[in-house]
Amino acid sequence: MKILVINSGSSSIKYQLFDMDKEIVMAKGGIQRIGIDNSFLKHETYEGKETRIDRDIPDHAAGIKLLIDVLLDEEYGVISDIDEIDAVGHRVLHGGEKFTESVIINDEVEKTIEEYCDLGPLHNPHNLTGIRVCKKLLPGKPQVAVFDTSFHTTMPPKAYLYALPYEYYEKYKVKRYGFHGTSHRYVSRRCAQLMNRPYEELKIISCHLGNGASIAAVANGKCVDTSMGLTPLEGLVMGTRCGDIDPAIIKFIMEKEGISIEEMDKIMNKKSGLLGISGISNDSRDVSEAAKNGNKRAQLALELFDYRVVKYIGAYVAAMGGVDAIVFTAGIGENQWETRENIIEQLGFLGIKLDKEANKVRGEEKEISTPDSTVKVFVIPTNEELMIARDTMALIS
Ligand code: AMP
């Protein structure tokens, strides 16, 4: 069975074609700058053949048509007939309260995803465009939606409600939804496999540390709390997002600077976090480099980043009444060993011991705690696309 996984953004589309009989990626790639100048597609096959096509890609329909053409291409293609694609799995950001798991897309599902554009205005409309284009270009093929929020729908009200007047929850569904759910689900399940213990018996804290960053407490196979909220702005310090702040700061800065709510929103989402504190970059590699060269604000930015993760881990240990394993994933979690070392060292009081040599790993699945550590610590590269392909296969089988 062959499944195409699509992640459709505002001006980009990422794709992977899976052969699910062997669970391998036959080809993958991405399209960038859709509807902007200099748009291009980058494509790579499982044999390592690579190509880049620079061409005007005015919209998502042209982009998806082009990626299908490349999948069928004589030299760089991996299938000879479009009918070989059995189904398409779509990453969808917001599934609101309704979608507690992945679903086959029908008209009603499409309508609900559209309704949730309100909650995920930067993603859901583009996810929906991807779905609609695929329906047209691959008529009759099942389309499946896998939501970033679904994994978190098991949170209890005490974790998902904000202490605002209850009517805002009733009227507008203002609550903690959480994101990166497919990643947290993948790595926490994988963690249980690596521990050779039932997922349903473990308390796991999953740290997805990338440009966007979130953390989830997974107790007995269910998410019980997570750091992102109504939007992906809450929680950890991120590349350009501030994460948790006193909400009163918003009014204070707006008045002092004489700026609009839109400008303030942009400051919190695009100009804060590692970038805001360091003044250098949102990319942790640049910030680390500057910190090593003695830049004080870069050092401060990394300190804040790590400290926030430590605080959340502490909170989630308390929320779950213990922890069996901590997992690091995503760009920073998988690659920045210094960040992991600094975080785990601060948790030594829990009896967690890091194997410093094992921790020097980059982008590889590995246990990085010592055998006598009270809590196991793992690096597990995330694989949201595989999870989407698995869900898609399960639903159409
Ligand atoms: P993501 O959003 O998961 O793609 O993660 C992006 C973040 O991961 C950026 O801050 C990068 O600096 C960091 N990152 C990605 N790859 C590496 C690497 N090989 N070494 C160190 N940091 C990395």
Side-chain angles (χ1 to χ4, degrees):
M1 181 177 290
K2 296 189 178 71
I3 289 171
L4 179 62
V5 172
I6 296 278
N7 183 354
S8 173
S10 61
S11 63
S12 69
I13 298 170
K14 289 189 207 136
Y15 64 92
Q16 291 196 9
L17 183 68
F18 282 88
D19 178 346
M20 292 307 283
D21 300 332
K22 302 180 209 133
E23 268 204 353
I24 57 158
V25 178
M26 300 173 73
K28 64 178 175 183
I31 303 168
Q32 306 236 350
R33 304 183 63 83
I34 296 170
I36 318 174
D37 55 346
N38 303 322
S39 37
F40 65 90
L41 174 146
K42 265 178 133 176
H43 175 88
E44 185 187 341
T45 70
Y46 66 103
E47 288 170 324
K49 277 196 215 166
E50 288 178 27
T51 182
R52 175 180 161 129
I53 301 170
D54 287 272
R55 150 175 332 173
D56 188 29
I57 306 172
D59 52 29
H60 287 67
I64 294 177
K65 171 89 177 55
L66 179 61
L67 82 81
I68 291 173
D69 285 346
V70 176
L71 290 172
L72 289 164
D73 185 77
E74 273 199 7
E75 194 175 350
Y76 296 103
V78 286
I79 50 173
S80 47
D81 193 306
I82 194 167
D83 250 354
E84 285 180 48
I85 300 173
D86 293 289
V88 187
H90 295 269
R91 180 179 186 183
V92 180
L93 181 89
H94 222 300
E97 278 197 319
K98 181 156 181 182
F99 297 116
T100 57
E101 47 194 40
S102 306
V103 288
I104 293 184
I105 300 168
N106 56 26
D107 290 349
E108 200 193 320
V109 168
E110 216 177 291
K111 198 166 146 259
T112 313
I113 294 172
E114 189 159 21
E115 279 165 22
Y116 291 144
C117 283
D118 218 16
L119 291 168
L122 301 179
H123 297 84
N124 271 37
H126 311 298
N127 303 152
L128 204 51
T129 304
I131 290 168
R132 288 177 172 152
V133 170
C134 284
K135 263 173 72 179
K136 273 206 188 113
L137 293 175
L138 296 156
K141 299 288 179 188
Q143 313 276 332
V144 166
V146 178
F147 303 93
D148 264 24
T149 47
S150 291
F151 183 61
H152 305 300
T153 56
T154 48
M155 283 188 287
K158 68 178 177 186
Y160 70 64
L161 278 178
Y162 292 108
L164 288 164
Y166 193 72
E167 65 189 87
Y168 298 131
Y169 169 62
E170 290 178 311
K171 281 203 287 194
Y172 311 120
K173 296 291 168 211
V174 170
K175 60 175 274 198
R176 176 183 311 288
Y177 289 96
F179 300 88
H180 294 141
T182 311
S183 174
H184 289 301
R185 179 159 59 109
Y186 175 81
V187 298
S188 57
R189 281 187 173 276
R190 185 74 194 124
C191 171
Q193 277 177 349
L194 293 174
M195 290 173 79
N196 210 8
R197 289 187 52 191
Y199 188 45
E200 295 72 23
E201 286 176 12
L202 289 169
K203 291 171 180 164
I204 300 169
I205 295 177
S206 154
C207 309
H208 179 112
L209 310 180
N211 194 36
S214 72
I215 179 163
V218 185
N220 313 112
K222 290 196 167 73
C223 175
V224 292
D225 208 343
T226 192
S227 59
M228 282 179 169
L230 175 79
T231 76
L233 182 56
E234 193 182 346
L236 302 178
V237 174
M238 305 179 218
T240 59
R241 292 178 222 151
C242 57
D244 297 336
I245 59 167
D246 176 350
I249 292 172
I250 298 170
K251 178 172 175 282
F252 185 84
I253 292 181
M254 281 173 65
E255 284 173 1
K256 290 279 181 205
E257 295 271 313
I259 55 176
S260 66
I261 192 70
E262 286 75 23
E263 284 168 299
M264 191 63 212
D265 195 57
K266 194 170 170 196
I267 288 166
M268 293 186 296
N269 275 291
K270 304 267 182 215
K271 296 185 176 175
S272 300
L274 291 179
L275 172 66
I277 297 284
S278 72
I280 290 170
S281 169
N282 64 304
D283 192 304
S284 68
R285 283 169 288 200
D286 302 337
V287 182
S288 295
E289 189 62 31
K292 277 177 199 149
N293 292 331
N295 185 299
K296 291 277 178 277
R297 271 175 49 192
Q299 289 165 2
L300 204 54
L302 296 176
E303 231 178 280
L304 253 83
F305 183 95
D306 298 350
Y307 178 62
R308 188 80 55 90
V309 177
V310 170
K311 281 212 294 191
Y312 264 96
I313 292 176
Y316 288 170
V317 172
M320 294 194 291
V323 60
D324 298 302
I326 297 172
V327 183
F328 288 96
T329 195
I332 297 171
E334 290 168 27
N335 294 296
Q336 293 272 20
W337 64 264
E338 298 95 332
T339 302
R340 294 192 301 257
E341 184 175 294
N342 194 27
I343 291 167
I344 296 301
E345 296 273 279
Q346 293 182 60
L347 295 164
F349 71 96
L350 287 170
I352 307 179
K353 289 190 197 148
L354 188 73
D355 179 335
K356 287 193 179 179
E357 271 318 299
N359 183 45
K360 296 266 163 74
V361 71
R362 274 188 198 277
E364 243 177 74
E365 206 170 77
K366 191 152 190 174
E367 184 174 332
I368 56 167
S369 45
T370 60
D372 64 337
S373 174
T374 50
V375 177
K376 289 201 178 291
V377 187
F378 294 94
V379 174
I380 302 180
T382 193
N383 199 338
E384 289 157 287
E385 293 79 11
L386 176 60
M387 207 73 218
I388 294 172
R390 281 182 185 161
D391 280 10
T392 304
M393 185 166 88
L395 279 166
I396 66 164
S397 295

